[in-house]
């Protein structure tokens, strides 16, 4: 399959790295693991070339990873409720937690983008 190269904002690359880390940990199929691993290596190489190593960037990556892990757990728990046709208070609480976690993810992504933009403007990067 031919690769498609698209420009991404640095914050989007870090977000994708967090998602790929989680997918790589969850993958059981060796071919899928190899695919995720290759994508992650390519993105890590790009981000290392474009952005200086930064503790804030690493911390934001770790926070995004944790949020995606929480989302994955909540999705699984909601699917379990659905399989039991249990749409009562437990399901509602899970759905509310899921929505709150999505908001947390969006806030983290916005903060990461702001920090990277600010760091880029201080370094003369546009």
């Amino acid at each position: 399959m031919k690769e498609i190269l698209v420009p991404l904002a640095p914050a989007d690359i870090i977000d994708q790295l967090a998602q790929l880390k989680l997918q790589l940990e969850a993958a059981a199929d060796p071919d899928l693991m190899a695919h995720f691993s290759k994508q992650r290596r390519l993105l890590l190489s790009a981000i290392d070339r474009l952005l200086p190593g930064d503790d804030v960037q690493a911390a934001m990556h770790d926070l995004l990873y944790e949020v995606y892990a929480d989302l994955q757990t909540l999705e699984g728990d909601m699917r379990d409720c659905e399989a039991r046709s249990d749409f009562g208070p437990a399901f509602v609480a899970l759905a509310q937690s899921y929505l709150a976690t999505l908001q947390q993810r969006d806030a983290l992504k916005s903060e990461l983008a702001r920090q990277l933009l600010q760091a880029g403007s201080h370094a003369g990067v546009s």
Side-chain angles (χ1 to χ4, degrees):
M1 174 163 78
K2 185 174 174 125
E3 290 184 353
I4 299 173
L5 303 176
V6 295
L8 286 175
D12 292 332
I13 294 173
I14 294 169
D15 178 71
Q16 185 66 29
L17 283 167
Q19 291 181 59
L20 282 168
K21 180 179 178 184
L22 191 61
Q23 290 171 327
L24 189 56
E25 291 173 356
D29 179 337
D31 291 335
L32 199 53
M33 289 176 71
H35 174 73
F36 291 147
S37 183
K38 178 183 176 188
Q39 283 185 318
R40 190 162 162 74
R41 274 194 317 274
L42 290 171
L43 290 176
L44 282 169
S45 174
I47 206 79
D48 286 345
R49 282 193 319 272
L50 300 172
L51 295 175
D54 181 307
D55 289 339
V56 172
Q57 173 186 315
M60 294 295 279
H61 171 273
D62 293 344
L63 286 172
L64 280 167
Y65 169 81
E66 290 173 20
V67 167
Y68 281 115
D70 290 346
L71 286 170
Q72 187 176 58
T73 299
L74 288 165
E75 288 169 0
D77 292 346
M78 287 190 302
R79 277 192 292 277
D80 291 345
C81 284
E82 182 181 19
R84 294 187 310 270
S85 295
D86 176 7
F87 298 104
F91 182 83
V92 171
L94 287 168
Q96 289 171 334
S97 292
Y98 186 82
L99 293 174
T101 305
L102 285 176
Q103 290 176 338
Q104 181 185 8
R105 180 208 55 196
D106 293 345
L108 282 170
K109 287 173 65 173
S110 293
E111 177 62 18
L112 178 59
R114 186 192 65 73
Q115 287 182 13
L116 291 172
L117 183 62
Q118 185 178 359
S121 67
H122 288 283
V125 177
S126 53

